Amino acid sequence: MLRHVRRVAITGQGAVTPLGLNAADTWDALAAGRCAIAPLQSGPRESLRAGNAAEVRDFDPLQHFDEKRLILLDRVSQFALVAAREAVAQAGLEFRASGLGARAGCIIGTGAGGELTHDAASRRLYAEGNPRLHPLTIVRAMYNAPASQISMEFGLTGPAFAVSSACASSNHALAQALGAIRAGQADIMLAGGTEASLSLSSLRAWEAMRVLSDDTCRPFCKQRRGLVLGEGAAVFVLEEYEHARARGASILAEFAGAGMSADAGDIVFPKVEGAASAMRNALVDAGLAPQDIGYINAHGTGTPANDPTETQAIHAVFADHAHRLAISSTKSMHGHALGAAGALELVAVIGALRAGVIPPTINFIDPDPACDLDYVPNHARAQRIDAALSNSFAFGGLNAVLALKRAD
């Protein structure tokens, strides 16, 4: 006997990104094609070969946390908590007094965890020769700190944990939260991703891989020269559909399905088959046909290897419909936020579904013959879409694709 699959609504979103300190400002910047990539302000930029990044600027943690609380929080948790507060407020939820916290949980993706805490501890230990580290180093740096801090903030006693799968972390976290609601383990889940890893050691490590652009991010463009690192967080309230309707919640979009796969191939070079499999799995899980999709928010890192591989995967899944798709990489605006990338990009997908506006791929100069689809170059496009995919393909060959539908 077929078991009823519980539908899942998105009823709140919050964001702290290089494009804005909330979800609304972030979406406005995306729709306007605004670029947040600029010379790095924090750290010794002059010592770096690639000195550009997409930083979250004008973020004052003391506007959000008192000093006693702040001592427990790495920047990665600060971003996540502020985004979660915005999402919960938009959803109109109060967990403790209502008792909803017992049927609610939190899953947050991050690729690097408390990287700035790690970096400070290493500098103190090795550069300064100080054998005594801060006693809260572990609780600030651990990968589950953002999820734990959110669960404690709101009194969420359902499933709560971290997901770390490099650049697919957010989409994997969101997929797991979708599954928890479908399985009846929770009625409400806070899910998304956060990253704050623009430390000198991290930037040096990325430089060593020779994948960073020395100017800007130009996904799918003939002149692309690599990725540009970013940071930020976005958190979403996922809610069982009828639960949301019963309380009169405003539904931003339906979270229709998710698809996951592993390349089981090279540790860094992507495979067409793995990306295609994740997209197909997302379509099947959502009960959608390829021709139902109007927009894909691409992984689109701007590297020589990723963009043609993703293009080939889209061709493999969508066949003739591939040329009718609107495809864009918003990393051209907010940079590559690694474990938070999929969460930031979900803000773009929800905005596209709600506003009927496709955010562009900016910094585009000339098309690449190996990337022969419609990447919405440089300017946003007014276009109604009813369903969309959001792609995340990570180092290690780990792929996660989300499928969303416009709210009824």
Side-chain angles (χ1 to χ4, degrees), residues 17-21 36-43 45 51-58 75 79 198 203 228-232 333-335:
T17 79
L19 294 170
L21 301 183
I37 296 169
L40 191 68
Q41 286 191 342
S42 61
R45 175 180 177 270
N52 291 337
E55 293 176 278
V56 174
R57 297 183 177 177
D58 302 320
R75 186 171 168 92
F79 287 166
L198 297 179
L203 290 162
V228 175
L229 293 174
E231 62 176 352
M333 293 179 269
H334 55 65

Side-chain angles (χ1 to χ4, degrees), residues 206-226:
W206 281 98
E207 277 192 344
M209 289 197 74
R210 304 292 194 269
V211 295
L212 294 186
S213 169
D214 58 3
D215 58 355
T216 192
C217 183
R218 307 182 190 277
F220 302 107
C221 173
K222 186 176 182 180
Q223 291 86 357
R224 67 188 183 278
R225 299 164 71 96

Side-chain angles (χ1 to χ4, degrees), residues 108-376:
I108 300 295
T110 181
E115 165 61 24
L116 298 185
T117 295
H118 274 299
D119 193 63
S122 296
R123 185 167 57 250
R124 182 168 178 165
L125 186 62
Y126 298 117
E128 300 171 7
N130 189 334
R132 300 183 65 182
L133 299 186
H134 195 287
L136 297 176
T137 297
I138 294 298
V139 297
R140 287 168 57 96
M142 60 191 187
Y143 284 69
N144 63 297
S148 296
Q149 291 288 349
I150 290 171
S151 72
M152 291 185 290
E153 170 110 354
F154 297 105
L156 312 179
T157 58
F161 55 93
V163 171
S164 186
S165 52
C167 310
S169 299
S170 288
N171 277 13
H172 275 126
L174 285 153
Q176 292 299 305
L178 171 71
I181 294 175
R182 283 177 167 178
Q185 296 171 340
D187 296 323
I188 302 169
M189 293 292 294
L190 271 62
T194 186
E195 205 78 274
S197 59
L198 297 179
S199 69
L200 179 60
S201 59
S202 175
L203 290 162
R204 284 288 198 192
W206 281 98
E207 277 192 344
M209 289 197 74
R210 304 292 194 269
V211 295
L212 294 186
S213 169
D214 58 3
D215 58 355
T216 192
C217 183
R218 307 182 190 277
F220 302 107
C221 173
K222 186 176 182 180
Q223 291 86 357
R224 67 188 183 278
R225 299 164 71 96
L227 61 88
V228 175
L229 293 174
E231 62 176 352
V235 175
F236 305 86
V237 176
L238 311 186
E239 192 168 351
E240 194 274 325
Y241 211 95
E242 296 308 317
H243 187 281
R245 275 182 164 169
R247 66 181 188 86
S250 176
I251 295 174
L252 305 181
E254 180 174 355
F255 191 172
M260 296 172 278
S261 70
D263 290 355
D266 193 89
I267 194 69
V268 293
F269 198 89
K271 288 177 66 174
V272 171
E273 296 81 2
S277 177
M279 284 188 278
R280 288 193 187 99
N281 291 342
L283 291 172
V284 170
D285 190 49
L288 294 168
Q291 59 268 26
D292 294 328
I293 302 298
Y295 171 55
I296 297 177
N297 187 289
H299 187 56
T301 58
T303 60
N306 175 87
D307 297 359
T309 302
E310 187 168 9
T311 298
Q312 291 174 51
I314 292 169
H315 275 293
V317 173
F318 290 92
D320 291 343
H321 185 62
H323 289 284
R324 292 187 286 275
L325 289 167
I327 302 162
S328 68
S329 171
T330 52
K331 288 182 178 72
S332 58
M333 293 179 269
H334 55 65
H336 192 348
L338 305 177
L344 271 58
E345 288 152 13
L346 192 59
V347 174
V349 175
I350 291 171
L353 288 165
R354 286 170 57 81
V357 174
I358 308 295
T361 304
I362 68 167
N363 307 317
F364 199 94
I365 304 175
D366 296 316
D368 183 343
C371 302
D372 60 349
L373 296 174
D374 176 7
Y375 305 108
V376 194

